[in-house]
Amino acid sequence: MALDGTTLDVPDTARNREHFGKPGASRSEAAFPQLRLVGLVETGTHAFFACAHGPCTEGEQPLAAKVLPALQQGQLCLADRLFAVFPLWQKARASGAELLWRARDNLVLPVEAQLADGSYRSTIYPSAKARRRQEGGAQVRVIEYVLENHPEKPAFRLLTTLLDPRQAPAEELAGLYPERWEIEGMFDELKTHLRGSRVVLRSKTPALVEQELYGLLLAHRAVRALMWRAAEGAGRDPDQLSFVHAVRVVRRKLASAKPAFSP
């Protein structure tokens, strides 16, 4: 599972401006009000698993707090450093899922136990005061590495709930983390290829914007479900199928036949 957020432009009406607000821009404000969306996506199928939305004035962290309880035991959640704050970490852990999140650069992570695969054990705390008193912390495993083949050689620090390196070696987890970017592809499918060439949503009121958003999400889920069935029948990975081609096929079929899936 991957956790991330995005925004969608909505029509510039008085009610939409009042409800959603406009983000700041280099010159005054943006042209359109924006809706903020945070979701959990299954990386293998690009299927939305849970989502929360609100005005652009609401940050991604509060919206993430609404979707993290949807995680389940047996899942592995990937997330970028924006979400690596103690309250969200604890809320995600409470779901029973395992976590692999990139740590913020300023997060204090003292080495408490060096492990054979190069990772180490540490503890994160809700505040600096709690860290000084060593109260209320959560034990984590830290994996540090640098991308040598990247021109900027960025450094990464990953936090995980998988504390046993024999169960999940550091090299495997570092290689797995880039799967997080699959959610960016899913947002592109939703906002560009499924929505079409429209720059903004069509609805003029907040209630209808929400209805239109969920219509898009349901349509995306339906297309992805059909793609998964096709891939399973052919014994192929769903990543090998083209979302754009699938949308074109569905549009052609819907013009001459009844839908084959329930809304």
Side-chain angles (χ1 to χ4, degrees), residues 68-69 71-73 77 85-101 123-124 136-140 160-163:
L68 286 173
L71 288 169
Q72 300 174 6
Q73 189 171 3
C77 177
V85 294
F86 191 84
L88 291 183
W89 182 268
Q90 292 295 80
K91 186 174 285 289
R93 285 181 69 220
S95 70
E98 303 293 352
L99 311 179
L100 181 64
W101 294 6
T123 304
I124 56 175
Q139 192 172 48
V140 297
T160 183
T161 53
L162 297 165
L163 302 180

Side-chain angles (χ1 to χ4, degrees), residues 162-230:
L162 297 165
L163 302 180
D164 187 352
R166 295 171 296 182
Q167 177 190 9
E171 187 173 348
E172 289 187 15
L173 291 179
L176 179 63
Y177 180 72
E179 287 292 310
R180 187 196 73 78
W181 281 281
E182 290 292 326
I183 194 171
E184 301 291 349
M186 181 269 150
F187 286 146
D188 180 64
E189 294 168 358
L190 181 74
K191 296 169 64 174
T192 303
H193 304 298
L194 189 61
R195 185 178 54 175
S197 59
R198 296 185 183 92
V199 177
V200 298
L201 300 181
R202 298 176 298 177
S203 303
K204 303 297 191 293
T205 66
L208 292 180
V209 166
E210 180 176 357
Q211 182 180 4
E212 187 176 356
L213 170 67
Y214 279 103
L216 278 171
L217 293 174
L218 287 169
H220 182 273
R221 179 61 179 259
V223 173
R224 272 292 169 183
L226 290 173
M227 293 175 65
W228 176 79
R229 292 172 190 167

Side-chain angles (χ1 to χ4, degrees), residues 18-248:
E18 180 182 1
H19 181 80
F20 294 108
K22 288 186 176 182
S26 57
R27 296 182 179 179
S28 181
E29 61 183 19
F32 296 98
Q34 286 187 342
L35 172 149
R36 191 178 303 282
L37 175 70
V38 171
L40 279 170
V41 169
E42 190 177 48
T43 61
T45 62
H46 285 205
F48 245 112
F49 190 74
C51 70
H53 63 85
C56 67
T57 52
E58 186 172 4
E60 290 188 4
Q61 291 182 1
L63 292 174
K66 299 177 182 180
V67 301
L68 286 173
L71 288 169
Q72 300 174 6
Q73 189 171 3
Q75 294 177 340
L76 175 65
C77 177
L78 313 175
D80 199 6
R81 52 191 166 189
L82 171 67
F83 302 100
V85 294
F86 191 84
L88 291 183
W89 182 268
Q90 292 295 80
K91 186 174 285 289
R93 285 181 69 220
S95 70
E98 303 293 352
L99 311 179
L100 181 64
W101 294 6
R102 187 176 178 182
R104 292 175 287 113
D105 294 338
N106 62 350
L107 185 61
V108 178
L109 294 169
V111 178
E112 296 175 356
Q114 191 72 50
L115 302 175
D117 64 347
S119 62
Y120 61 90
R121 298 255 179 100
S122 189
T123 304
I124 56 175
Y125 293 93
S127 66
K129 182 178 179 180
R131 185 185 306 109
R132 288 194 299 269
R133 295 183 176 182
Q134 296 186 342
E135 296 175 346
Q139 192 172 48
V140 297
R141 181 165 153 237
V142 184
I143 300 163
E144 296 182 338
Y145 60 97
V146 175
L147 296 182
E148 292 289 349
N149 59 343
H150 193 283
E152 298 179 0
K153 295 189 177 181
F156 284 75
R157 289 194 304 170
L158 305 181
L159 305 179
T160 183
T161 53
L162 297 165
L163 302 180
D164 187 352
R166 295 171 296 182
Q167 177 190 9
E171 187 173 348
E172 289 187 15
L173 291 179
L176 179 63
Y177 180 72
E179 287 292 310
R180 187 196 73 78
W181 281 281
E182 290 292 326
I183 194 171
E184 301 291 349
M186 181 269 150
F187 286 146
D188 180 64
E189 294 168 358
L190 181 74
K191 296 169 64 174
T192 303
H193 304 298
L194 189 61
R195 185 178 54 175
S197 59
R198 296 185 183 92
V199 177
V200 298
L201 300 181
R202 298 176 298 177
S203 303
K204 303 297 191 293
T205 66
L208 292 180
V209 166
E210 180 176 357
Q211 182 180 4
E212 187 176 356
L213 170 67
Y214 279 103
L216 278 171
L217 293 174
L218 287 169
H220 182 273
R221 179 61 179 259
V223 173
R224 272 292 169 183
L226 290 173
M227 293 175 65
W228 176 79
R229 292 172 190 167
E232 186 181 47
R236 299 177 63 181
D237 190 323
D239 281 344
Q240 296 178 314
L241 303 187
S242 166
F243 182 82
V244 174
H245 178 69
V247 169
R248 289 171 180 165

